[in-house]
Amino acid sequence: MAQKILLEIAPLSEQDSLFIVERHKKEFSYPIHKHNCCELNFIRGGKGVERVVGDSIEKIEDLELVLITSDLEHVWQQGCCEAEDIQEITIQFELSCLPPALLKKNQFASISQLIERAKNGVAFSQTGILNVYQQLMNLLHQENSFQQMLSFFEMMHRLSLDSEMRVLSSGTFAQVGSPSGSRRVQKIKEYVEAHYKEEIKLCQLASLIGMTEVGCSRFFKMRTGKTISEYITEVRLGHASRLLVDTTQSVAEVAYDCGFNNLSNFNRLFHKVRRFTPSQFRSTYQKNKILL
């Protein structure tokens, strides 16, 4: 039986909208975890630290700012960082402080889009981080809770305008849907999600949306930025990553259970996309888990 991920209980009281804490450390030792609240995590001086968010594993730069708004596994581990003083600021908040009625307003449109993207985890660009750095420092030391919330909204708005932010985890691993503005694209995505374990032919997808095979391929690439083949592989790898974390199935069993009929091809594609072999990916999660 696979070990479970630590479910962290956030120290937010029912009367509080934000919980902000600053730490100075030289070592990351907290295990991989998840929580029901949202988290904005800032790290300065941690170049070489390894960040795990969902099925994304990356070495971070000197400045790091990540937003996670879903029940998504994550951890920052030491990696090759040897810094003696790493500054970490964590802001945890409930989505109730950004209710749906508010996010539907035009003035909050960009923040609403940010919240949606951050269900997969979002890493902000160095420019985006520097754009809110002073605000973040001020927010840390503000004593007036009302002004603190106003500053928080302003900071979220600035972050939402970061055109170079990157989504980290795949939607399949994060178990987050990816709605599309196009009904045809959505039909293809729903079909792939339902049949990823099987062989999926282009002619099936083209027939599904009433287009020729060439037209279907061009249409999907134009609307998503990915080829149909790339999208199918992404979905299959997302499910494979989830099985590697949540089960004790062998790598071969995982591969065949996710629609890969060739183990070597699965290992090659997994390493190309994740930059780790399936075994290394599983090991990264296992060494950061605690037994519950």
Side-chain angles (χ1 to χ4, degrees):
M1 183 176 180
Q3 293 177 342
K4 296 181 180 179
I5 302 292
L6 173 66
L7 177 62
E8 179 187 30
I9 306 300
L12 276 166
S13 72
E14 293 183 1
Q15 289 74 40
D16 290 324
S17 297
L18 299 176
F19 171 77
I20 306 176
V21 61
E22 179 185 29
R23 307 178 186 89
H24 285 267
K25 58 173 70 173
K26 62 179 181 179
E27 182 181 10
F28 286 82
S29 57
Y30 200 70
I32 195 163
H33 62 285
K34 59 184 179 179
H35 36 65
N36 294 326
C37 69
C38 307
E39 181 174 282
L40 186 66
N41 206 48
F42 168 82
I43 298 172
R44 181 182 61 81
K47 185 172 183 178
V49 165
E50 196 170 65
R51 180 219 314 122
V52 180
V53 175
D55 54 3
S56 167
I57 305 175
E58 297 178 341
K59 291 282 195 303
I60 73 171
E61 295 300 322
D62 189 62
L63 287 179
E64 160 94 338
L65 185 61
V66 165
L67 176 64
I68 300 170
T69 62
S70 71
D71 192 19
L72 183 61
E73 300 92 333
H74 59 280
V75 72
W76 280 260
Q77 56 191 24
Q78 201 62 26
C80 59
C81 180
E82 298 180 352
E84 290 295 315
D85 181 24
I86 303 170
Q87 180 189 25
E88 181 180 43
I89 299 174
T90 301
I91 302 177
Q92 293 182 328
F93 60 97
E94 299 283 358
L95 266 183
S96 57
C97 74
L98 291 164
L102 191 65
L103 293 175
K104 288 180 181 178
K105 303 299 183 183
N106 291 334
Q107 292 80 2
F108 282 81
S110 62
I111 294 179
S112 177
Q113 293 169 8
L114 172 61
I115 293 296
E116 190 64 31
R117 296 182 74 182
K119 290 178 180 179
N120 297 54
V122 163
F124 296 99
S125 69
Q126 297 295 294
T127 301
I129 297 171
L130 292 174
N131 192 37
V132 300
Y133 179 80
Q134 194 56 56
Q135 255 188 322
L136 181 61
M137 296 304 112
N138 293 340
L139 189 67
L140 182 65
H141 301 293
Q142 277 180 325
E143 295 183 1
N144 185 301
S145 57
F146 179 72
Q147 291 298 325
Q148 193 178 57
M149 281 304 300
L150 292 180
S151 296
F152 174 71
F153 283 148
E154 171 63 24
M155 185 175 68
M156 289 289 286
H157 179 254
R158 287 192 181 188
L159 289 173
S160 71
L161 301 179
D162 180 4
S163 61
E164 298 176 28
M165 73 174 85
R166 294 184 299 109
V167 170
L168 298 174
S169 180
S170 69
T172 304
F173 184 92
Q175 299 176 329
V176 174
S178 55
S180 169
S182 165
R183 285 187 298 174
R184 286 174 168 176
V185 169
Q186 195 59 32
K187 272 188 174 184
I188 291 175
K189 288 184 174 182
E190 289 171 357
Y191 185 90
V192 171
E193 184 61 36
H195 299 276
Y196 70 90
K197 295 184 179 184
E198 310 161 14
E199 181 183 5
I200 299 176
K201 296 181 178 180
L202 178 57
C203 60
Q204 295 170 311
L205 301 178
S207 175
L208 183 69
I209 62 172
M211 297 180 75
T212 65
E213 293 182 24
V214 173
C216 178
S217 295
R218 289 177 177 172
F219 178 78
F220 191 87
K221 178 69 180 291
M222 181 179 65
R223 289 302 184 101
T224 68
K226 304 170 185 175
T227 66
I228 290 177
S229 178
E230 287 170 342
Y231 180 73
I232 293 172
T233 298
E234 178 184 293
V235 170
R236 286 172 172 163
L237 288 178
H239 281 288
S241 299
R242 176 54 68 184
L243 288 177
L244 289 169
V245 170
D246 290 344
T247 76
T248 56
Q249 289 180 251
S250 69
V251 171
E253 288 173 328
V254 167
Y256 295 124
D257 201 30
C258 293
F260 295 95
N261 55 18
N262 183 293
L263 181 57
S264 296
N265 186 47
F266 169 65
N267 286 327
R268 181 183 61 79
L269 285 171
F270 196 98
H271 187 272
K272 179 182 178 181
V273 175
R274 301 280 186 263
R275 293 182 295 178
F276 290 84
T277 67
S279 296
Q280 289 170 333
F281 178 83
R282 170 175 270 169
S283 176
T284 296
Y285 263 83
Q286 288 179 338
K287 73 181 181 183
N288 281 289
K289 288 183 180 180
I290 63 169
L291 185 60
L292 298 178

